[in-house]
Amino acid sequence: MVQGSANLNTEVTEEWLQEYVDGWVKFFKKQTSDGELANYIPILGEADPEALGISIIGKNGTTIKSGNTEEKFTIQSISKVLTFIVACMERGLTYVLDRVDVEPTGEAFNSIMHLEMKQPNKPFNPMVNSGAITVSSMLDGNSSDQKLETLFILMEKMIGHRPEINVEAYESERDTSMKNRAIGYYLLEGDYLESDLSITLETYFKQSAIEITIDDLARIGLVLSNDGFDPVTEEEIIPRSITRLAKALMLTCGMYDASGKFAAYVGVPAKSGVSGGILAVVPPRVRDEELPFLEGCGIGVYGPALDKQGNSIGGIKLLRHVANHWDLSLF
Ligand code: GLN
């Protein structure tokens, strides 16, 4: 039985929260055996399938971490939120939204079907591969490294250090990812791409291979929770209008074809990646009882064993449990 069903009307202390989270992580770690690693990118098949970790950082600095907290892993699809933000900052919201829609697909993240069958006048949303590859093509610069420079600067502002690309992971995906190349050719044929196809795909594979930790994800989540402002200095990192849209896209499309269920049962904007990471954003909320993180928090989760939709199987269960017990939902 999972511990922690106690009424939360007692004083919220960090030790007390830590104890609960330790118990929950231990419990949900056992359920990782129902999931599978993302073997389609060979290097991701080498992860520890039983790993599960969570980091929660609150606006007031409260930090709760548990489980596998030190692992570095590649950001994969979570980068889609950040490149979307960068493209909007560089080109303006209207320019980007003229070229990528904001509708959920209900299909797998790497589906090519809607491009082929529905022949939309633009890719459905920036959180699935077709939309994200289109967004990568919009980033400023004539090479993949130039295109990603603003992303690195943005990430440094959010997480406090410049992240690095895991070259082995980049090459592993670049050399095997035929489906993304197929999507790229569809996009090229549909005249969606703003830069050369090979540079666009190189950018997309590199952004996916940026190495992060769950603390980094929690810090990114906290900035988004704080409407794009640094939680300590209150300096603007991302314009509020762009932050708002990014969170709306995370809520409606961030967990792929499980986004509806995640919104219903967890109720916060989130974005997953096939390496097993989940970035979750808990905005400030008004409640008439004392609950943890009422001023908002960012959450990072890592659990590389995935469910059928490509989301961390233990991570989703753990997040759902935390959200239910601490009433984190927006709704
Ligand atoms: N780089 C991965 C891919 O395109 C990202 C997918 C994901 O994290 N869901 O397949």
Side-chain angles (χ1 to χ4, degrees), residues 137-188:
S137 83
M138 282 183 226
L139 300 174
D140 278 345
N142 299 319
S143 67
S144 57
D145 291 336
Q146 280 178 14
K147 278 175 165 293
L148 292 176
E149 186 53 28
T150 314
L151 171 66
F152 278 103
I153 294 170
L154 178 78
M155 287 185 76
E156 185 165 3
K157 282 192 188 156
M158 297 171 105
I159 66 181
H161 62 94
R162 189 181 165 95
E164 285 178 9
I165 291 173
N166 178 327
V167 177
E168 218 186 322
Y170 159 62
E171 291 175 350
S172 180
E173 183 168 20
R174 179 198 62 191
D175 297 343
T176 56
S177 184
M178 298 310 140
K179 192 126 187 216
N180 283 324
R181 288 182 191 279
I183 291 173
Y185 278 106
Y186 260 98
L187 294 170
L188 185 63

Side-chain angles (χ1 to χ4, degrees), residues 30 55 59 106 111 124 168 170 177 180 182-183 228 239-240 248 256 270 285 305 314:
K30 289 185 226 135
S55 170
K59 174 86 194 286
S111 169
F124 272 50
E168 218 186 322
Y170 159 62
S177 184
N180 283 324
I183 291 173
R240 190 172 177 167
Y256 309 120
R285 59 208 197 283

Side-chain angles (χ1 to χ4, degrees), residues 40-41 76-77 80 109 129 173 180 204 208 256 272-274:
Y40 81 98
I41 301 178
Q76 298 299 334
S77 275
K80 291 169 173 147
F109 62 86
N129 291 15
E173 183 168 20
N180 283 324
Y204 177 76
S208 300
Y256 309 120
S272 62
V274 283

Side-chain angles (χ1 to χ4, degrees), residues 39 153 214 236 320:
N39 294 310
I153 294 170
I214 50 174
E236 183 185 278
R320 180 173 171 171

